[in-house]
Amino acid sequence: MDAYDGGSNARHGPDGPEGPAAPGVPAESGAPTPSVGLAEPHPPARPDPPAGPRAGIAALSLRYQIGVALALAVVAVGVCVHLGMTFLHVAPPNTVTREHGRAVDDWIYPEFEQNWKLFAPNPLQQNISIQVRAEVRDGEGGKLTTGWYDLSAEDGRAIDGNLLPSHTQQNELRRAWDFFLATHDGENRPVGLRGSLSESYLRRIVVLRLDRDDAVRATTGGAGVIERVQVRSRTSNVPPPKWSREKVSTTPAYRELPWWPVPADEAGGGVR
C-alpha cells in the first residue's frame, strides 16, 4: 500500500497534523522543546582566603596569655577592693565600719582621702577663716611680730570671678585645717601619729603663703627670717535668711594654736 493510502496511521506530509507547526500557531504541549546550545559549566569553587596574622593577646604564646590573664585578674581584684573600701568610708556608720573601721581608714588615708559622704550632709552653716602671723628676726637680731594675715580671704579673692580656679586656691588651706582638726583634740594636742604630720603640713603651707605675701619685707623693711608662726581660726555663723525666725549669734569665735618654731630649712625655702 502506498503511503498516501495508509489511513489514520499513515505519516502525514509536511502539511499534515504531524508536520511542523504553521507560523503563529503554538506547538503542542506534548512536543519536546529542543535545547539550544550547550549547558553553561559551573564556575570553579574559590579557595578560602588565607587567615591573617593574629593580633593582641591572641598573638602571644600560651604562657604569656596566662600571665596577662593573671595580671588582669589582679588589677580587677584591686579595683574591686578599692571601690569597696571607698564605699565603706563614705557610707553612714554600719556594722562593717564599726568592726573594721581601722582597716578602712588605713586603706583610705592619706592618699585616697575622701571629702564627701554617700548621703549629703547638712550644708555648711559657718564661715571659717584661717589666719596666721609670724615672729620675724630682722637683720640686726631684733624680733618683730607681723599682723594677722587672713589666708582664707586671699583664696576667696583669687576664686571670686575666676572661671577656672585652681585646686590649690579652693581646697589646699581648707583641707589642711580639716586634717588638723581631725587629728587633734580640743586642747590642740595631737591624737595619734598623724597629728604631727598634720602640724607639719599646715605649717609649711602658712610659711609659703607668708613668703608669697612678702611678710618679712613688709615687717622689717628689708631682710629677715621667720622663726615662729601662729595659726588661728575665725569662725562665724552664717546669718539666717530674712524670712527665717531662727536666731543665731554672728559674733566670731577664735581658736588660737600655740606658736610653732619654723625649721631653718623651711624658713630658708619659704622666705628668700
Side-chain angles (χ1 to χ4, degrees):
M1 182 181 290
D2 228 52
Y4 295 102
D5 299 330
S8 62
N9 293 327
R11 296 187 59 184
H12 296 279
D15 296 334
E18 297 293 332
V25 178
E28 295 181 2
S29 61
T33 303
S35 60
V36 179
L38 300 176
E40 295 183 1
H42 294 286
R46 298 181 180 178
D48 295 334
R54 294 184 300 175
I57 298 179
L60 302 175
S61 62
L62 179 60
R63 181 177 61 179
Y64 288 105
Q65 289 182 7
I66 294 175
V68 171
L70 291 177
L72 293 177
V74 171
V75 171
V77 171
V79 171
C80 292
V81 170
H82 178 68
L83 292 178
M85 290 294 189
T86 304
F87 173 82
L88 292 175
H89 178 70
V90 301
N94 53 73
T95 304
V96 177
T97 55
R98 283 192 291 268
E99 184 71 21
H100 306 286
R102 177 173 292 275
V104 174
D105 290 343
D106 291 341
W107 179 274
I108 293 295
Y109 294 107
E111 289 84 2
F112 308 118
E113 182 180 359
Q114 304 293 318
N115 195 34
W116 60 281
K117 297 298 180 182
L118 188 61
F119 297 98
N122 292 331
L124 295 177
Q125 298 180 2
Q126 293 177 327
N127 289 321
I128 302 176
S129 298
I130 309 303
Q131 302 173 352
V132 62
R133 65 177 176 176
E135 186 178 87
V136 180
R137 177 168 48 85
D138 59 18
E140 298 179 356
K143 294 184 179 180
L144 301 172
T145 302
T146 68
W148 288 101
Y149 286 79
D150 194 334
L151 305 183
S152 297
E154 293 178 2
D155 286 346
R157 287 191 295 269
I159 295 172
D160 189 20
N162 189 349
L163 296 179
L164 297 173
S166 69
H167 177 76
T168 301
Q169 295 167 340
Q170 298 180 81
N171 298 317
E172 181 186 54
L173 185 62
R174 178 179 60 84
R175 296 291 297 277
W177 182 251
D178 291 342
F179 185 24
F180 177 86
L181 294 181
T183 55
H184 287 72
D185 59 16
E187 300 296 328
N188 300 321
R189 294 174 298 192
V191 178
L193 298 177
R194 300 174 68 242
S196 59
L197 176 62
S198 66
E199 290 182 6
S200 300
Y201 183 53
L202 182 59
R203 185 184 66 241
R204 288 173 181 266
I205 291 176
V206 299
V207 170
L208 290 174
R209 297 291 185 91
L210 289 172
D211 176 52
R212 187 178 66 185
D213 293 336
D214 204 6
V216 171
R217 185 174 299 277
T219 304
T220 65
V225 63
I226 294 178
E227 289 195 337
R228 297 193 305 169
V229 293
Q230 185 181 28
V231 181
R232 75 177 183 183
S233 66
R234 180 184 184 275
T235 304
S236 59
N237 293 319
V238 176
K242 296 179 179 180
W243 48 263
S244 174
R245 297 182 179 179
E246 183 181 4
K247 302 295 182 181
V248 297
S249 173
T250 57
T251 302
Y254 294 90
R255 176 175 177 173
E256 289 190 1
L257 307 185
W259 284 93
W260 291 336
V262 178
D265 56 342
E266 290 185 20
V271 178
R272 288 186 174 89

